[in-house]
Amino acid sequence: QPAAFLMDEPLSNLDAKLRVQMRAEIAALQRNLGVTTFYVTHDQVEAMTMGDRVAVIKDGYLQQVDTPQNLYDHPANVFVAAFIGSPSMNLYDATITIKGDGGTIGFGSHTLALAPESLAARPALRNYDGKRVVLGIRPEDSEDAALAGNVPEGSVITAPVGLLEALGSEIMVHFHIDAPRVDSGDPDAAEEPAGEIGSNAVGRFSPRSRLRTGFFFQIAVTTENLHFFDQDTRLAIWE
C-alpha cells in the first residue's frame, strides 16, 4: 500500500493499439486504487488523457501546471501553447491594431479581425496597439471556408495547399502562410521557415472538403479562439 506510484514512460515500447488499451487500463486502475501517481511521458496524448493535473517541464524548469483543459485553453507561454495540442499550434509574427472594441491582426499579407471577445478576455492587448506580438492559431480553429457557412467579416484568409493528409474523420491540410513563423522553443517540433509552399501551417478540416494540392483556397478562422503572446517574454497576453 504505497503512498504514491512513480511511472517513467511505461508505455513507450508498445505498439500504437496496445498503448491506447494500456492507457485506459492504467487510468482505471489508478482511479480504483485512489493512490497518487506521478507519470512521466513525452506523449502529450497520454498526459492529457490520463492526468488530473499536468506539469509541463522544459530544460528542467516548470513551465505550467494545470488541468489538461486549462493547459490547452490558457497556455502560459509560447512553449506550452505549441507543446500542448496535436498538430502543434501555428505561431506567427503579427501586429495588433486596436479599433474601439475590436481591431485587426496583420501577419504577412494576411489580416484577421480582432474579435471583441478576444479583447474583452485579454484586456492587456490594448497595450500592444501598433506593436508586434506572437499570434497563435490552433489547427482545429480553421476550416475550409466553403463549408463554414456564414463566416464573420475579417475571418477568412487565402493560401495555397501544399499537402493533404486524409484520415477518414478529418483532413490535415498543410498550407503556406507568408508570415515569419515563430520558433516555439521545442527541439522536437518541426520548425519550418515561411517560403516553402505548404510547409508552415496546418489545419484540421472536415473530410467533406474538396481541396486540391497546389491550388489556392479560403480558410475560415475562428478568431475568438486566437492566442497572443509577448514577443520578448513569450508569455501569454491576458490581464
Side-chain angles (χ1 to χ4, degrees):
Q1 302 211 342
F5 289 112
L6 308 180
M7 297 188 180
D8 187 3
E9 300 197 69
L11 308 182
S12 59
N13 291 319
L14 302 182
D15 62 51
K17 184 176 181 180
L18 196 53
R19 283 172 72 101
V20 173
Q21 180 182 338
M22 289 306 299
R23 220 165 53 207
E25 293 279 357
I26 291 175
L29 187 61
Q30 190 274 331
R31 284 171 174 76
N32 288 336
L33 293 174
V35 177
T36 298
T37 302
F38 289 89
Y39 190 106
V40 178
T41 179
H42 284 87
D43 186 335
Q44 62 162 291
V45 175
E46 286 183 16
M48 296 287 281
T49 56
M50 299 175 70
D52 297 307
R53 292 179 69 78
V54 178
V56 180
I57 298 172
K58 177 179 182 290
D59 298 330
Y61 291 92
L62 181 65
Q63 303 293 309
Q64 185 176 356
V65 56
D66 212 324
T67 64
Q69 193 62 49
N70 278 341
L71 284 178
Y72 177 87
D73 291 334
H74 303 96
N77 56 40
V78 167
F79 177 79
V80 176
F83 190 72
I84 299 297
S86 180
S88 182
M89 182 185 289
N90 302 298
L91 297 164
Y92 302 103
D93 189 334
T95 301
I96 293 282
T97 302
I98 304 296
K99 296 179 181 177
D101 292 331
T104 58
I105 310 118
F107 55 113
S109 64
H110 309 284
T111 302
L112 287 172
L114 177 59
E117 297 92 334
S118 292
L119 200 53
R122 304 167 182 264
L125 279 176
R126 292 190 178 277
N127 300 326
Y128 290 82
D129 186 16
K131 298 180 180 179
R132 293 169 56 211
V133 297
V134 176
L135 168 68
I137 307 174
R138 288 208 181 275
E140 44 273 33
D141 288 326
S142 59
E143 178 58 280
D144 183 347
L147 303 176
N150 296 323
V151 180
E153 185 179 354
S155 300
V156 176
I157 58 177
T158 302
V161 179
L163 175 69
L164 299 174
E165 295 178 299
L167 303 178
S169 61
E170 60 189 359
I171 300 176
M172 294 297 179
V173 182
H174 297 253
F175 52 94
H176 173 58
I177 295 293
D178 61 348
R181 177 143 189 169
V182 174
D183 185 350
S184 68
D186 182 0
D188 296 325
E191 304 291 359
E192 299 182 25
E196 297 181 16
I197 296 299
S199 67
N200 73 331
V202 184
R204 284 178 178 268
F205 285 22
S206 165
R208 296 183 293 114
S209 178
R210 294 296 177 261
L211 302 178
R212 287 187 293 168
T213 302
F215 287 83
F216 280 78
F217 72 108
Q218 290 190 315
I219 309 157
V221 179
T222 307
T223 55
E224 58 266 30
N225 291 346
L226 296 177
H227 294 259
F228 302 92
F229 307 88
D230 185 276
Q231 277 274 357
D232 297 322
T233 66
R234 300 301 184 92
L235 298 177
I237 301 171
W238 287 102
E239 299 298 331

